[in-house]
Amino acid sequence: MSSEQDFTKRKLWGGRFTGSTDPLMHEFNQSLKYDKRMYAADVKGSIAFSKALLKAGIVNEHEQKEIERGLKTVEGEWAEGKFAVQADDEDIHTANERRLSEIIGKDIGGKLHTGRSRNDQVATDMRIWLMEESTQVEQYLKDLLNVMVSRAEKEVDAIMPGYTHLQRAQPVRWSHLLLSHAQSFLSDLDRLRQLQPRISVLPLGSAALAGNPYSLDRELLRKELGFKSIGENSMHAVADRDFIVEWLQWASLLQIHMSRMAEDLIIYSSAEFGFVQLSDAYSTGSSIMPQKKNPDSLELLRGKAGRTFGQMAGFMMSLKGVPSTYNKDLQEDKEPLFDAVDTISAALRIAEGVIATLTINPAKMAQALTMDMLATDIADYLVRKGVPFRETHHISGRSVALAEQNKIQISDLTMEQWKDLSPHFTDDVMDVFDFENSVEKRNAIGGPARGMIKRQVDVARERIGK
Ligand code: ARG
């Protein structure tokens, strides 16, 4: 028989349809390669479950102890990289249970899955895993915020142009700009904390979809696993992946904030601006242009926002149209979430490093301040002399035009010229041309005056600390 005939036979009538799983299908179905990172959550959930089985009289005290001992051994094997994966281990749940029975014997090991399904097990594991990761991510976010707030507090003297439409607008403190980004991250911190109660809902005890018939004590399970509440509907509990969608949405928005901050810093680090300089630790050189120092860290922070948004959008599409309870589509929750958690964790630490180590150049910031940025202050000056703002705006505009015509700065207009523009101008108009004064006048809550920077720092610290 020629090898081609051989192939045809196999392809059409052979191994593919004999009833055993196609090797490619096995590979397609298998989630162990990525869900093994939840091994500790899986063991934790199973130990708690064994205690509920003990209370329900399904296992005795000796058996429960054995299960617990075996599971701890399994966990140790994973931790030490010694867990021997077998070809037909489908996911972390089947792998751990297979190994447990090898260690303590099938007679006892085989009792663990009573009244449980991988459907409630996997939903429980994901929630345990995400709660733990979220605590770590929250800490990274707090670290970043602390660095931003400390810098803002220390560098309050530096005044720079504030931009709208990327055009020089009005003078502000560098601290004010930095804290404007911190405000976004503070909201992200609030939002992350608000997600917690919705992650912390216990599915375990729901079994495949219809609950368990052993009156398992779910309150015991809740306490053992540190969940805030218990899923009230077994069909919903095994189907619900909203906590993952919300986390991905949360992460996407955080990364969009990060991306906008990165963009500011990229612009300000260019030679044209020169307001900030990245440390060598977070820059790279060019392979061909030796003079270059590229802000790769910031560019990656900007770029990763697209990646996380993509994970969020992709998983939402996987969820759309999935019928009630568990369907295998739901296995598609893992890779997007794991990737987003990894990406966010790295991004937050990189951002912290970038912000902690960059240097600012207050002289360059000051050089970029031009007197026309005080045109609004001229209008405000006239308002204080009783002129209606709409009129003052016009007069101030004419002073800018006049200076432009004469190719001088508005601060160089003569007293005579000012008087011509409006009889309300007196000698004290010259006091307007001071950037520090301009910023200090903006001392209502939320403004860039020193006192309000201090207030922002205090309020931010309180929100971080909670
Ligand atoms: N590996 C599966 C997942 O991640 C576990 C649940 C499998 N349940 C099932 N009925 N096949 O979703």
Side-chain angles (χ1 to χ4, degrees), residues 267 269-275 364:
I267 293 171
S269 70
S270 67
E272 283 69 14
F273 283 79
F275 298 170
K364 275 277 205 175

Side-chain angles (χ1 to χ4, degrees), residues 28-43 78 83 85 89-96 118 121-123 125-126 129 241 326 328 330-338:
F28 198 52
N29 187 42
Q30 207 234 35
S31 57
L32 185 62
K33 50 191 172 292
Y34 46 83
D35 68 17
K36 62 184 176 201
R37 67 187 287 176
M38 302 195 302
Y39 72 83
D42 192 69
V43 164
W78 280 115
F83 188 99
V85 171
D89 287 341
E90 192 185 311
D91 52 25
I92 186 62
H93 327 292
T94 49
N96 281 354
R118 276 187 295 158
Q121 187 177 0
V122 70
D125 289 6
M126 289 291 280
W129 184 85
R241 295 294 184 276
Y326 184 83
K328 204 53 173 274
L330 297 183
Q331 182 166 283
E332 289 297 305
D333 61 356
K334 284 171 199 64
E335 286 166 293
L337 180 67
F338 295 165

Side-chain angles (χ1 to χ4, degrees), residues 414-434:
T414 62
M415 210 48 235
E416 219 181 1
Q417 286 170 312
W418 285 116
K419 289 266 190 228
D420 275 354
L421 287 163
S422 163
H424 291 96
F425 283 117
T426 51
D427 285 352
D428 60 357
V429 66
M430 291 307 157
D431 298 345
V432 168
F433 299 110
D434 182 305

